[in-house]
Amino acid sequence: NAGVTQTPKFQVLKTGQSMTLQCAQDMNHNSMYWYRQDPGMGLRLIYYSASEGTTDKGEVPNGYNVSRLNKREFSLRLESAAPSQTSVYFCASSEAGVIDTQYFGPGTRLTVL
Amino acid sequence: RKEVEQDPGPFNVPEGATVAFNCTYSNSASQSFFWYRQDCRKEPKLLMSVYSSGNEDGRFTAQLNRASQYISLLIRDSKLSDSATYLCVVNRGSYIPTFGRGTSLIVHP
């Protein structure tokens, strides 16, 4: 039982490049989330998926897109990376929504040059 | 006023000490509250939920004060392994939780 997994763990991009961050959970959770964490800023929600087939914007969605591929997988895409997107990205899942405990993946450390 | 505020610290305490952190929130409609722990360069992990009547888990006690709109975390008999950043999370019942920026705790020998 791996919990929440994320790939890659580290990534360096040049401005304008695109990439997809992958997230998968094996806990049969309904809800999944993407956060970014910046020094001194705390965790901020980018997008979430309340259940399979739905996605919604969070607090800081600009520059990102998401896909809830199936119940297990939720990917985050940067279409044209910018230095302001340098951050640590965490995926999380919960059984029934944010009022429930969230389980986090190990994070992806992204640097955009 | 920020929606969720925490003193960033660091709180520097000796082993065995008792330490307490507060987290204030601005939205009186907030419905659920949690404390998460985050070790350096790791993911956050749930420490405990915070219930209206207060709750305890071993050396950790969490309390909610709705009138003054804050939650607290008390750690008794601090261990070196308690050194971490403690994040409070406040949910308004929507799918958008609000995380505090965290309080750093350093427990020294």
Side-chain angles (χ1 to χ4, degrees):
Chain A
N1 192 338
V4 180
T5 57
Q6 291 183 236
T7 56
K9 286 189 167 51
F10 301 93
Q11 185 71 49
V12 179
L13 292 177
K14 293 181 180 176
T15 297
Q17 288 185 316
S18 62
M19 79 162 295
T20 300
L21 282 63
Q22 306 286 355
C23 174
Q25 51 91 9
D26 62 3
M27 295 174 283
N28 202 36
H29 284 169
N30 289 309
S31 303
M32 297 185 74
Y33 316 86
W34 276 105
Y35 293 90
R36 60 178 289 174
Q37 187 174 37
D38 303 296
M41 293 295 293
L43 279 152
R44 293 181 292 170
L45 184 66
I46 305 171
Y47 270 93
Y48 65 94
S49 171
S51 59
E52 187 179 357
T54 69
T55 60
D56 282 287
K57 295 177 181 179
E59 185 184 352
V60 288
N62 291 346
Y64 305 95
N65 283 302
V66 290
S67 295
R68 183 76 183 265
L69 303 168
N70 47 55
K71 192 171 185 179
R72 289 188 64 246
E73 299 172 285
F74 188 38
S75 62
L76 178 72
R77 183 158 177 84
L78 286 70
E79 291 291 352
S80 179
S84 61
Q85 294 178 304
T86 293
S87 189
V88 181
Y89 292 85
F90 288 104
C91 177
S93 70
S94 67
E95 189 170 343
V98 290
I99 59 173
D100 228 343
T101 302
Q102 292 188 60
Y103 296 85
F104 286 82
T108 295
R109 282 162 178 77
L110 175 67
T111 301
V112 183
L113 302 175
Chain B
R1 180 182 175 187
K2 295 189 184 68
E3 195 162 345
V4 177
E5 291 197 66
Q6 294 183 254
D7 181 343
F11 285 66
N12 211 316
V13 303
E15 270 186 294
T18 295
V19 62
F21 314 132
N22 283 345
C23 169
T24 59
Y25 61 94
S26 60
N27 192 322
S28 59
S30 298
Q31 296 183 12
S32 57
F33 310 87
F34 302 88
W35 284 103
Y36 280 74
R37 170 194 169 126
Q38 186 173 25
D39 294 300
C40 187
R41 301 181 69 80
K42 298 283 190 181
E43 72 272 25
K45 292 184 180 177
L46 179 72
L47 179 66
M48 57 199 303
S49 303
V50 186
Y51 303 123
S52 296
S53 55
N55 47 299
E56 192 173 302
D57 183 2
R59 299 180 293 108
F60 299 85
T61 300
Q63 293 196 310
L64 167 63
N65 186 317
R66 283 196 184 273
S68 299
Q69 295 182 200
Y70 73 88
I71 62 173
S72 63
L73 177 68
L74 180 79
I75 305 175
R76 290 181 297 278
D77 189 23
S78 297
K79 312 290 185 193
L80 295 176
S81 58
D82 293 333
S83 297
T85 296
Y86 292 83
L87 309 172
C88 73
V89 182
V90 176
N91 297 325
R92 287 178 275 122
S94 67
Y95 279 90
I96 303 182
T98 304
F99 280 76
R101 296 182 181 186
T103 296
S104 175
L105 172 65
I106 301 170
V107 182
H108 59 83

